[in-house]
Amino acid sequence: MELEVRHLRALCAIADTGSLHKAARQLGMSQPSLTTQLRRIEHAVGGQLFARERTGCRPTPLGRVVLSRARPLVVEMRALVTEARATAARADDGTPQLRIGSTASRAIPGWLRRLRHRMPGTETSLQMDVSANALLQMVAAGQLDIAFVHEVEGCPLRLPDGLRRRVLVDREPQFVSLAADHPATRKDVVHLTDLAADRWMVDPTVDGEWDGLQRVLREAGLNPRVLHGDYLTAATLVATGEVVTVCQPTSVARPDMAVRPLSGDPLGVRLLVAARTTAELDAVYGELEAAYWEAAAEAPAYQDWLLGGRGRERHEERGTAPVPVPVAIPVPMPTTAPIPAPATAPAPPPDLGPAPSQDLRPTPL
């Protein structure tokens, strides 16, 4: 027997009520039917899930394990149905929809803010995912309109047939985050050998992330201890000095955590936007571009890399000279879009913040 959501609901009801009789009433079924269903579930998982006692039903150790995984799934399924019904209701009333999917980026808040002000009548939804490939597949399947994703160098994404893409940043260098009191923070640029004695942390569920880091460490002749975990946990461990980790250059340092470029920029990612049509890309790209460079201007380490520090070092290695461009970042406005826009575009809102005084986009090397 394959376990289904209804089976998980039944287990949660038994655990919550502590009684087969009460759980059956809550589920709208007879007690004998629920008892039979529980036996089938226990047979499927290979062990007893509840101990039947005179005072009711109590989860066994195996039952507690199964319940710990079942409860969030039941909650997620309930939320999925609620959200789907709400989305269907909005679609029925003619409200324009814009469904965005994205991997993690500090540009997201500014992007959504700009879209909200330019398209005040559009209902915008956001779905975050660690898998860029999964988001691209959702766009191809019509479940999302736009995907903003990153492609780790050396680990190309699988772009489904028929999608249009636009590159936001051809190569964004990846920095490193480390404890504020780490000895390597005395340098403006960190060498990988400075971190030879450190443990690293990486999220292996992010497409290409683990493969990319392995390649970089191997090329540097390092074989450090590596922990696997999400980047929220990694930030906590970095702050306490337990690990170091790769981070996006738009990351902002904290009192307990520093952000530094890596010497030679050994690891980079490509930032790109994908949609089914060019018109859909045009509708959102300008706001995303402005939001990204706004986030870059708020990250001191990245700003230095773009305007001087690492930029100068790379140009010196190549025998060229950087040419600063003292102009504001342009914010192109699309001329066509699949989403209806108001007849008169509203004036730029005051909370967008000032544009950086210089164009932070790097000149071609």
Side-chain angles (χ1 to χ4, degrees), residues 68-340:
S68 70
R69 301 297 297 271
R71 289 189 189 280
L73 292 174
V74 171
V75 171
E76 283 294 319
M77 181 58 67
R78 189 180 301 120
L80 184 153
V81 173
T82 300
E83 184 177 338
R85 287 174 176 167
T87 301
R90 289 193 295 269
D92 289 342
D93 68 13
T95 302
Q97 307 288 309
L98 176 59
R99 301 164 300 170
I100 294 174
S102 180
T103 49
S105 172
R106 287 181 59 85
I108 295 297
W111 188 22
L112 294 181
R113 187 177 73 243
R114 283 172 165 81
L115 289 173
R116 184 177 71 251
H117 284 285
R118 195 176 71 80
M119 305 174 180
T122 299
E123 182 70 29
T124 302
S125 62
L126 175 66
Q127 177 162 335
M128 304 298 295
D129 201 304
V130 296
S131 173
N133 284 308
L135 292 170
L136 293 173
Q137 288 292 342
M138 293 179 71
V139 174
Q143 297 168 307
L144 292 172
D145 300 310
I146 299 290
F148 173 41
V149 298
H150 70 270
E151 179 181 63
V152 178
E153 198 168 49
C155 305
L157 296 175
R158 301 182 296 275
L159 191 72
D161 292 338
L163 290 193
R164 302 290 182 268
R165 74 169 189 177
R166 189 166 299 167
V167 175
L168 176 66
V169 177
D170 191 58
R171 190 180 192 274
E172 179 192 71
Q174 297 301 279
F175 287 4
V176 64
S177 61
L178 56 167
D181 59 356
H182 193 290
T185 59
R186 299 190 187 101
K187 301 179 179 180
D188 292 332
V189 177
V190 175
H191 290 72
L192 281 171
T193 51
D194 296 331
L195 310 174
D198 289 280
R199 288 192 298 182
W200 287 74
M201 194 164 197
V202 65
D203 186 347
T205 64
V206 178
D207 291 342
E209 199 91 338
W210 178 215
D211 291 338
L213 180 60
Q214 276 186 308
R215 172 183 59 79
V216 166
L217 293 173
R218 186 169 56 249
E219 289 175 353
L222 301 178
N223 185 27
R225 295 162 294 167
V226 177
L227 301 182
H228 289 173
D230 64 274
Y231 284 111
L232 181 61
T233 303
T236 303
L237 296 180
V238 165
T240 59
E242 291 292 326
V243 300
V244 298
T245 188
V246 170
C247 68
Q248 296 177 4
T250 49
S251 301
V252 178
R254 306 182 331 204
D256 56 0
M257 185 172 68
V259 175
R260 294 288 187 273
L262 285 168
S263 177
D265 305 324
L267 183 61
V269 303
R270 175 180 296 174
L271 302 181
L272 56 92
V273 195
R276 291 184 297 279
T277 67
T278 301
E280 287 174 307
L281 286 176
D282 290 340
V284 300
Y285 182 82
E287 284 70 27
L288 174 58
E289 183 181 39
Y292 177 82
W293 294 111
E294 178 184 58
E298 295 170 351
Y302 194 22
Q303 190 174 28
D304 179 66
W305 186 94
L306 288 164
L307 296 178
R310 283 298 296 143
R312 278 194 299 270
E313 184 177 326
R314 293 182 67 183
H315 278 289
E316 287 168 2
E317 291 170 358
R318 298 167 186 260
T320 61
V323 181
V325 184
V327 295
I329 295 172
V331 184
M333 298 297 288
T335 56
T336 59
I339 302 162

Side-chain angles (χ1 to χ4, degrees), residues 33-54:
S33 296
L34 181 57
T35 301
T36 300
Q37 188 177 87
L38 177 58
R39 287 180 185 146
R40 289 174 178 169
I41 296 171
E42 289 177 327
H43 179 74
V45 301
Q48 187 176 359
L49 299 177
F50 292 93
R52 283 71 158 179
E53 301 174 344
R54 222 174 21 158

